[in-house]
């Protein structure tokens, strides 16, 4: 008796809306079920999968708003590798780059993978592979159906020693070793059928800490049992092998037993039936909050307690203060994400060419946890791709348009200051074209921004008279191999900012135009280190324009 493959994967995350933004809007998965943690109905349980939640495709999340991040370490599932159709990896690399999400190519058993992280730091990898059998790809949210993710290909279990975990996997569960590479041992569900998937074990080096649960942690992984009788057989067999499985628990969409493997990872065996259409028809999956019968009487209270799933622009027009310049605020389509209203500024997210007001939100949530985010969309369309100002050619800017658009954005920010709680000012987070408009804002007026993170910027224009940027902190992250940004132009920007009095920190990373984990780490550390405490506020920035 072998287990035929994976069933689902359950994670903790830090913010429901950021989780939705990444898995639904960036990875393009279908949110097939919107429900609550049955044991704690004040928290969400969100399921992302293919069209119907075919076993082997479901990633499920318990978002705990603001929970501390997990500590990566041994005794955990450290990475999930998702299947994308053969030939689609370059398109995925481009999509992640446009979204400002760090991703890096790597190699696994001679095959290319693309490695990225979700908003909580969980490692998510993409690999070109045949779809899991029976998968119904979900095209949506800008992902073409022929590029859609088609299930989990493999997982990486990080263990102190693999020897403790292997007997269960191979002798009891029937997986077979098929390859080794460095510290990685690959087990196959079915060596003759690559589509069945793999369980990889990696021995952590000495000095690797033990994993701690938190946001971005895999809580457990579930394997398939085709039916209840198979599950009952598994239960006896695991009991005989000394693994103390739980009784069968009804999880509404499947029946489950749980046990812990000897490396410390929580395993579940879940049945294929009854599936996600038991309480919603296929076209309606995930579109409304579904509660199990025992929680239905509390629906109103539960709905009121659940955090928002969407990063929505707020407030509505009726909440605007009298006198706010409504037309200037409407000059840019934008999103406003309310932060925890702590003692820090808001982030002004400025996307790159071809991006939108939602693209940088996951990155912003990672770099500046808890900060409010104001994210406008660029008003210029270049072959349908949004930008913040026109250009004549790659790197050759339309200076007249640049100045006009910079002024337009400054007026938008002044109007936003009268509408949203921006009294602690704005720190720009710009990528590529967004970094260039941020640099243009800085070089045009010393009062608009309190600081800036400029990812892959260049000098947008040669300033005549420099503004006073005394003490304004600016972080520049540049790619040594960036084919789109001339290095000397980035250096010229650095010089102009320094001459204006800005406190510039610049790092040259051994990479190209796309962002990497190193960008994320440097920007996160810098934003935390600079602190931007309220006493640093000289005056309410941007208000000068009102
Ligand atoms: Zn589960």
């Amino acid at each position: 008796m072998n287990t035929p493959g994976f069933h689902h994967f359950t994670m903790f995350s830090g913010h429901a809306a950021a989780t939705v933004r990444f898995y639904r809007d960036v990875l393009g998965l279908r949110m097939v079920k919107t429900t609550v943690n049955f044991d704690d109905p004040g928290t969400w349980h969100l399921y992302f999968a293919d069209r119907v939640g075919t076993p082997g495709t479901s990633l499920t999340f318990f978002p705990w708003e603001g929970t501390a991040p997990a500590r990566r370490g041994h005794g955990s599932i450290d990475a999930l590798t998702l299947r994308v159709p053969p030939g689609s990896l370059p398109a995925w690399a481009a999509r992640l780059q446009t979204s400002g999400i760090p991703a890096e190519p790597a190699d696994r058993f001679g095959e290319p993978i693309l490695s990225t992280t979700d908003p909580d730091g969980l490692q998510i990898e993409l690999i070109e592979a045949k779809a899991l059998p029976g998968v119904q790809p979900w095209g949506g949210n800008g992902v073409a159906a022929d590029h859609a993710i088609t299930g989990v290909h493999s997982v990486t279990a990080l263990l102190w020693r693999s020897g403790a975990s292997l007997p269960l996997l191979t002798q009891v569960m029937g997986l077979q070793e098929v390859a080794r590479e460095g510290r990685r041992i690959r087990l196959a569900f079915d060596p003759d059928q690559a589509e069945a998937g793999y369980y990889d074990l990696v021995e952590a080096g000495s000095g690797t800490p033990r994993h701690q649960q938190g946001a971005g942690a895999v809580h457990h992984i579930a394997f398939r049992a085709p039916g209840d009788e198979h599950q009952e057989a598994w239960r006896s067999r695991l009991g005989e092998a000394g693994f103390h499985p739980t009784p069968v628990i009804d999880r509404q969409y499947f029946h489950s037993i749980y046990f812990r493997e000897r490396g410390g990872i929580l395993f579940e065996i879940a049945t294929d039936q009854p599936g996600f259409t038991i309480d919603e028809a296929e076209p309606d999956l995930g579109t409304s909050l579904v509660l199990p019968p025992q929680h239905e009487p509390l629906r109103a209270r539960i709905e009121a307690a659940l955090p928002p799933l969407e990063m929505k622009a707020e407030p509505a027009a009726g909440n605007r203060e009298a006198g706010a310049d409504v037309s200037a605020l409407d000059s840019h389509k934008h999103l406003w994400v309310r932060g925890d209203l702590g003692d820090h500024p808001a982030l002004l997210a400025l996307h790159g060419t071809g991006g939108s007001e939602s693209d940088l939100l996951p990155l912003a949530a990672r770099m500046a946890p808890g900060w409010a985010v104001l994210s406008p969309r660029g008003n210029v369309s270049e072959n349908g791709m949004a930008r913040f100002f026109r250009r004549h050619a790659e790197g050759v800017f339309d200076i007249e348009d640049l100045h006009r658009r910079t002024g337009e954005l400054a007026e938008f920010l002044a109007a936003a200051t009268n509408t949203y709680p921006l009294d602690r000012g704005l720190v720009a987070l710009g990528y590529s074209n967004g970094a260039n408009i941020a640099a243009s804002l800085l070089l045009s007026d010393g009062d608009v921004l309190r600081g800036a993170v400029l990812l892959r910027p260049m000098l947008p224009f040669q300033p005549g008279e420099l503004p006073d940027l005394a003490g304004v902190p600016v972080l520049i992250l540049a790619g040594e191999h960036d084919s789109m940004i001339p290095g000397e132009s980035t250096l010229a920007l650095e010089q102009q900012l320094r001459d204006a009095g800005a406190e510039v920190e610049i790092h040259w990373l051994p990479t190209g135009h796309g962002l990497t984990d190193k960008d994320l780490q440097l920007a996160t550390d810098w934003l935390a280190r600079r602190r931007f405490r309220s006493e640093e506020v000289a005056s309410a920035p941007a208000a000068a324009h009102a």
Side-chain angles (χ1 to χ4, degrees):
M1 187 169 80
N2 290 353
T3 175
F6 296 118
H7 188 284
H8 68 267
F9 305 81
T10 295
M11 278 66 76
F12 289 129
S13 67
H15 291 286
T19 300
V20 171
R21 182 72 65 189
F22 182 76
Y23 288 95
R24 184 193 65 184
D25 298 347
V26 177
L27 294 188
L29 298 172
R30 184 176 195 188
M31 193 155 73
V32 291
K33 196 62 66 181
T34 308
T35 184
V36 295
N37 182 344
F38 291 178
D39 304 321
D40 176 13
T43 59
W44 289 108
H45 193 182
L46 306 173
Y47 291 72
F48 302 88
D50 71 345
R51 178 179 295 276
V52 292
T54 304
T57 66
S58 297
L59 309 180
T60 98
F61 291 84
F62 293 121
W64 284 348
E65 299 298 310
T67 193
R71 183 177 74 188
R72 284 178 79 171
H74 66 81
S76 70
I77 296 294
D78 194 56
L80 301 179
T81 310
L82 311 179
R83 299 158 194 265
V84 296
S88 69
L89 217 46
W92 277 102
R95 181 173 175 83
L96 293 173
Q97 180 169 325
T98 303
S99 301
I101 295 173
E104 285 174 74
D107 183 277
R108 173 88 36 89
F109 295 110
E111 289 183 86
I113 61 170
L114 190 62
S115 177
T116 186
T117 50
D118 84 352
D120 294 296
L122 173 64
Q123 193 163 341
I124 297 290
E125 300 162 343
L126 303 178
I127 189 167
E128 292 183 358
K130 277 211 253 177
L132 266 178
V135 162
Q136 300 185 35
W138 173 252
N141 306 315
V143 177
D146 58 357
H147 284 174
I149 288 168
T150 54
V152 172
H153 169 274
S154 49
V155 299
T156 298
L158 191 62
L159 301 160
W160 188 50
R161 295 216 189 292
S162 55
S165 302
L166 278 168
L168 165 69
L169 289 157
T170 56
Q171 292 161 31
V172 182
M173 297 177 69
L175 283 78
Q176 293 183 45
E177 182 177 330
V178 289
R180 284 191 187 221
E181 182 180 69
R183 292 170 181 269
R184 183 176 293 268
I185 302 171
R186 170 155 286 185
L187 308 182
F189 286 102
D190 181 350
D192 300 323
Q193 208 200 357
E195 298 96 284
Y198 303 101
Y199 188 103
D200 290 358
L201 301 87
V202 172
E203 284 199 359
S206 59
T208 305
R210 179 157 178 84
H211 167 77
Q212 269 177 9
Q213 291 285 348
V218 176
H219 179 259
H220 66 264
I221 69 171
F223 300 88
R224 284 178 62 198
D228 290 318
E229 64 284 10
H230 299 89
Q231 183 172 60
E232 212 35 71
W234 274 113
R235 208 170 158 266
S236 328
R237 184 158 172 180
L238 289 162
E240 285 159 18
F243 284 94
H244 310 291
T246 64
V248 175
I249 299 171
D250 183 358
R251 291 300 185 194
Q252 181 85 354
Y253 310 110
F254 38 82
H255 305 146
S256 302
I257 59 173
Y258 301 84
F259 60 101
R260 202 170 288 281
E261 61 91 35
R262 305 225 195 278
I265 300 168
L266 187 61
F267 279 8
E268 172 183 351
I269 291 181
T271 54
D272 287 359
Q273 300 301 326
F276 294 102
T277 49
I278 186 178
D279 55 7
E280 282 177 308
E282 187 276 321
D284 303 327
L285 284 175
T287 54
S288 58
L289 172 64
V290 175
L291 294 175
Q294 70 269 28
H295 294 323
E296 197 56 61
L298 295 171
R299 175 173 282 272
R301 277 175 59 191
I302 289 172
E303 284 181 343
L306 288 167
L309 285 187
E310 308 291 337
M311 293 177 167
K312 273 187 183 147
E314 59 173 50
N319 296 354
R320 286 178 188 165
E321 284 175 24
D325 185 342
V326 172
S327 62
L329 192 68
D330 289 342
S331 70
H332 286 76
K333 194 167 161 47
H334 65 278
L335 291 175
W336 166 253
V337 180
R338 179 203 290 274
D340 60 15
L341 301 179
D343 191 17
H344 43 64
L347 215 54
L348 172 65
L350 300 164
H351 62 79
T353 301
S356 77
E357 65 277 15
S358 62
D359 282 342
L360 292 187
L361 294 182
L363 191 68
R366 293 280 302 276
M367 288 180 174
W371 289 33
V373 185
L374 178 64
S375 184
R377 184 192 294 188
N379 276 340
V380 168
S381 170
E382 181 184 89
N383 304 320
M385 296 190 297
R387 283 174 56 84
F388 285 94
F389 56 87
R390 290 184 200 292
R391 59 181 167 183
H392 300 301
E394 186 77 51
V396 184
F397 301 150
D398 177 339
I399 297 299
E400 195 182 320
D401 188 65
L402 170 64
H403 289 313
R404 186 164 80 83
R405 302 291 178 179
T406 302
E408 189 179 82
L409 185 59
E411 281 174 27
F412 163 78
L413 296 176
T417 302
N418 291 329
T419 305
Y420 303 118
L422 289 174
D423 48 313
R424 297 190 193 284
L426 284 161
V427 173
L429 167 65
Y431 170 55
S432 192
N433 180 246
N436 294 339
I437 193 79
S440 182
L441 281 170
L442 284 168
L443 292 172
S444 303
D445 187 331
D447 293 326
V448 178
L449 298 173
R450 286 190 57 199
V453 175
L454 307 178
L455 307 168
R456 311 294 186 270
M458 55 193 284
L459 183 67
F461 66 93
Q462 194 68 42
E465 194 182 334
L466 283 171
D468 179 10
L469 294 174
V472 174
V474 178
L475 175 67
I476 295 177
L477 299 179
E480 284 173 11
H481 314 298
D482 192 331
S483 58
M484 299 174 77
I485 305 286
E488 59 272 23
S489 183
T490 305
L491 290 169
L493 170 64
E494 179 199 6
Q495 191 59 54
Q496 295 286 351
L497 291 170
R498 283 191 199 284
D499 290 348
E503 291 177 14
V504 184
E505 181 174 323
I506 184 166
H507 296 268
W508 290 87
L509 308 182
T511 184
H513 197 64
L515 299 179
T516 65
D517 267 342
K518 190 72 184 163
D519 288 280
L520 181 63
Q521 186 193 325
L522 285 167
T524 308
D525 290 350
W526 185 84
L527 284 164
R529 183 153 39 85
R530 299 301 314 198
R531 294 176 64 85
F532 295 100
R533 290 181 305 272
S534 55
E535 52 266 32
E536 288 175 5
V537 184
S539 61
H545 301 269

